[in-house]
Amino acid sequence: YEHLLINRQNQIQVKLPYYHTISELHKGLALVSRENLNGCINEKGQEVIALQYKNINIWNEDDLLSVSNAENRAGILDREGKI
């Protein structure tokens, strides 16, 4: 796999061969996955939330993320991955 982050002028910003899936950027974050683990990257392709969660949901209005791990333990993170 090789994914690309491109800007509005269709210029390649970052090549990302590591991830299986990458969502669209939303407020500077994209959800990424590899081997059934999820995390988030920023617009520079830097991993800001490590690939360690079973599920991640971005709450649009609050800039918070709900996460759960393989043991179904859940929590809330900010956009920098802090609890």
Side-chain angles (χ1 to χ4, degrees), residues 2-33:
E2 181 171 81
H3 296 278
L4 305 172
L5 290 181
I6 59 172
N7 63 19
R8 294 180 189 254
Q9 290 78 31
N10 289 326
Q11 299 167 324
I12 296 173
Q13 298 296 103
V14 181
K15 292 183 181 182
L16 300 163
Y18 180 74
Y19 303 106
H20 290 161
T21 62
I22 301 174
S23 74
E24 291 183 28
L25 285 168
H26 176 74
K27 293 186 177 181
L29 286 184
L31 299 174
V32 293
S33 69

Side-chain angles (χ1 to χ4, degrees), residues 38-64:
N38 299 288
C40 290
I41 59 172
N42 62 19
E43 63 274 352
K44 296 178 183 176
Q46 299 166 326
E47 199 170 271
V48 293
I49 297 177
L51 286 170
Q52 61 182 354
Y53 297 102
K54 178 180 170 185
N55 294 304
I56 297 179
N57 295 301
I58 297 175
W59 297 357
N60 297 337
E61 57 279 345
D62 296 326
D63 286 344
L64 298 173

Side-chain angles (χ1 to χ4, degrees), residues 64-77:
L64 298 173
L65 301 98
S66 63
V67 297
S68 64
N69 63 16
E71 293 83 32
N72 289 322
R73 294 182 63 182
I76 304 293
L77 302 176

